[in-house]
Amino acid sequence: MTGVPHGGAPEGGRYGEAVFPPERAGEDERIDSGALAYDGFSMARLRALGVGPGWTCLDVGAGTGTLARRLLDEAGVASVLAVDRDVRFLPPRPGLDVRAADVTAPDFAPGTFRLVHARFVLMHLAERERLVSSLAELVAPGGVLVLSDAVDLTSDRTPDTPYTVAMRAMWQGLRATIGTDVSVVPAYPHLLHGAGLERVAAEIHVPPLQPGSPISRFWAETWERSRAAMLATGAVDDATLDEAVRYLDSAACAALSAGMLTAWGWKPDARPQR
Ligand SMILES: C[S@@+](CC[C@H](N)C(=O)[O-])C[C@H]1O[C@@H](n2cnc3c(N)ncnc32)[C@H](O)[C@@H]1O
C-alpha cells in the first residue's frame, strides 16, 4: 500500500491536488468545520448501530480524525485504524493507528473490521461504485459498513439566491475538475445491498445554516478553495461569489444546506445458527 494516487486522474487532478491541497494553510480548519457540523449526527447513528466497547474500526479518508477520536473517547471502541492519502492532520495516539494509503489502490487490504466507515470521501472518487464493494469486503462477518456523503438539496424550483447560485456552481465545478459526483449518493442503499450487505437503511441530516455556524464557515471556506473551479463553470462570477459568502453570514440568509446521507448495511454473520 502506498499514498500514491491510483488510476486515471480527472481533468483537474484528484481530491487534494488542484482543489483542497492539504498543504494549503487552513485546510485542517476547513475539514474541522465540516466535522463540527456533522460529527454529532455521525456519532448518534454509530452509537445507535451498537458501535461501542470491543469494536475494531476502520475510518477511511479520516481527514483530521475527529470521528476516530470520538469513537475511542465517547464510544469506547477497542481500536481505530485511520487511513488517509495524507496523514499530516492525524497524530497517532493509544488506540488510534494511522496509515497513509490510497483507498482506491487495488492492494488496499488493511484487514477486516467490525465497523468500516467513510464520510465525505467516496463522493470525490471516480471509482465509488467499485469502492462500495471493496469496502464491504473489509467488514468482518456480523459487522457494518457505514457510508456518509453529501446530498444536494437545491432543485430547479429553489429561488436563485446567492447561496443556491454558488452551491450549484460548486457541484458543477468540482465535478468538472476532481470528479466529485453527489448525484449517485441517494443510490448508496442500493449499492450496499448489491455488495451483499443486509438490513440496509439510510437517513439524511441537514445542519441549520445560521450565521457563524460551523456549516456556514465550511461552505465559505470550501467556495474559497474551489473558487477557480467554480468561476470556470461560467455559472458564477467573482462578485456573485463574494456576495454569496456575505449572504451566508447575514441575517438575510434563508437557505437549506446540503445534507449528509448516511447509509449502512450489515455483513451476514458466518457463524452457524444454533
Ligand atoms: C472531505 S475530507 C473528509 C474527512 C473526514 N472523513 C470527515 O468527514 O471529517 C476527505 C478526506 O478524504 C481523503 N481522501 C481523498 N481521496 C482519498 C483516497 N483516494 N485515499 C485515501 N484518502 C483519500 C482526503 O485526503 C481527505 O482527508
Side-chain angles (χ1 to χ4, degrees):
M1 266 178 287
T2 71
V4 178
H6 168 75
E11 194 183 314
R14 292 165 56 102
Y15 184 100
E17 293 173 356
V19 189
F20 311 129
E23 60 275 17
R24 183 168 163 189
E27 180 58 7
D28 51 343
E29 285 156 28
R30 186 188 72 89
I31 295 179
D32 273 350
S33 295
L36 262 178
Y38 291 108
D39 272 0
F41 297 134
S42 296
M43 282 304 293
R45 171 45 51 200
L46 294 170
R47 298 297 291 271
L49 292 172
V51 176
W55 282 58
T56 55
C57 310
L58 170 66
D59 194 20
V60 169
T64 56
T66 57
L67 209 70
R69 288 191 293 276
R70 288 183 69 165
L71 282 169
L72 288 161
D73 295 340
E74 295 170 27
V77 301
S79 63
V80 182
L81 174 60
V83 172
D84 204 290
R85 279 178 69 194
D86 191 296
V87 295
R88 75 187 69 199
F89 306 132
L90 280 168
R93 46 161 276 190
L96 177 62
D97 291 323
V98 172
R99 190 173 303 173
D102 181 344
V103 299
T104 64
D107 62 348
F108 178 65
T112 56
F113 303 82
R114 198 158 165 198
L115 168 69
V116 176
H117 175 262
R119 188 180 68 182
F120 302 135
V121 181
L122 265 55
M123 63 191 239
H124 296 297
L125 302 176
E127 312 88 334
R128 61 192 71 82
E129 297 190 13
R130 174 185 70 77
L131 277 172
V132 173
S133 292
S134 50
L135 292 181
E137 283 170 23
L138 305 181
V139 180
V144 65
L145 172 59
V146 182
L147 302 176
S148 294
D149 264 322
V151 273
D152 178 17
L153 298 172
T154 59
S155 79
D156 295 348
R157 303 290 302 276
T158 316
D160 276 348
T161 63
Y163 172 82
T164 51
V165 169
M167 215 48 175
R168 290 194 193 106
M170 181 195 75
W171 293 128
Q172 205 183 323
L174 292 183
R175 190 162 181 167
T177 49
I178 56 178
T180 302
D181 183 2
V182 293
S183 67
V184 76
V185 174
Y188 281 5
H190 176 76
L191 296 180
L192 290 169
H193 181 74
L197 301 179
E198 296 178 341
R199 290 181 284 141
V200 170
E203 64 192 353
I204 294 178
H205 284 287
V206 186
L209 265 184
Q210 289 164 321
S213 62
I215 192 65
S216 296
R217 286 202 302 277
F218 176 74
W219 291 128
E221 278 300 309
T222 299
W223 295 342
E224 197 47 53
R225 280 166 165 66
S226 41
R227 183 174 277 255
M230 291 170 72
L231 296 177
T233 65
V236 72
D237 56 23
D238 264 316
T240 310
L241 199 40
D242 290 342
E243 192 189 345
V245 172
R246 285 193 299 274
Y247 177 82
L248 268 185
D249 222 12
S250 74
C253 182
L256 184 64
S257 172
M260 175 179 76
L261 179 143
T262 298
W264 61 92
W266 295 87
K267 189 78 161 264
D269 195 337
R271 280 178 301 191
Q273 303 288 315
R274 286 171 186 260

